[in-house]
Amino acid sequence: MKSPWKVTMQYICGKPQYAVYRLRDVSKVDHSGNRESGSTYMDSKEEAERIAAELNAKEAGDGKDG
C-alpha cells in the first residue's frame, strides 16, 4: 500500500529545496528505493505542499483537476 503524497526538504548548495514524494510500500522502511517522486526539487515549500495536496485529491477521486 502506498502512502499519501508528502513534502520532503533537503539542503542543496546551502539552500532548502522541497520535493513531493510518497512511499511505494508503507510496510517497508523509508529509503530512496521505496520512494516515488511526485515532483522535482523547487525553492517553494508552499508550492510543494500545493502539488502534494493536488496529487492526494486526484487519487481520492474528489473531482479536483490538478
Side-chain angles (χ1 to χ4, degrees), residues 1-8 19-26 28-41 51-52 55-56 58-59:
M1 175 181 199
K2 295 180 180 183
S3 75
W5 293 99
K6 45 192 164 182
V7 175
T8 185
V20 177
Y21 80 100
R22 69 177 172 186
L23 297 180
R24 295 177 189 272
D25 185 343
V26 296
K28 295 186 178 175
V29 175
D30 183 357
H31 61 82
S32 61
N34 190 27
R35 283 189 174 199
E36 181 177 356
S37 178
S39 75
T40 59
Y41 279 99
I51 292 169
L55 289 169
N56 285 321
K58 184 177 180 181
E59 290 189 357

Side-chain angles (χ1 to χ4, degrees), residues 7 13 15 18 34 42 46 49-52 56 60-62 66:
V7 175
C13 295
K15 289 178 52 182
Y18 302 91
N34 190 27
M42 61 193 80
E46 292 78 16
E49 290 172 339
R50 184 189 63 76
I51 292 169
N56 285 321
D62 68 359

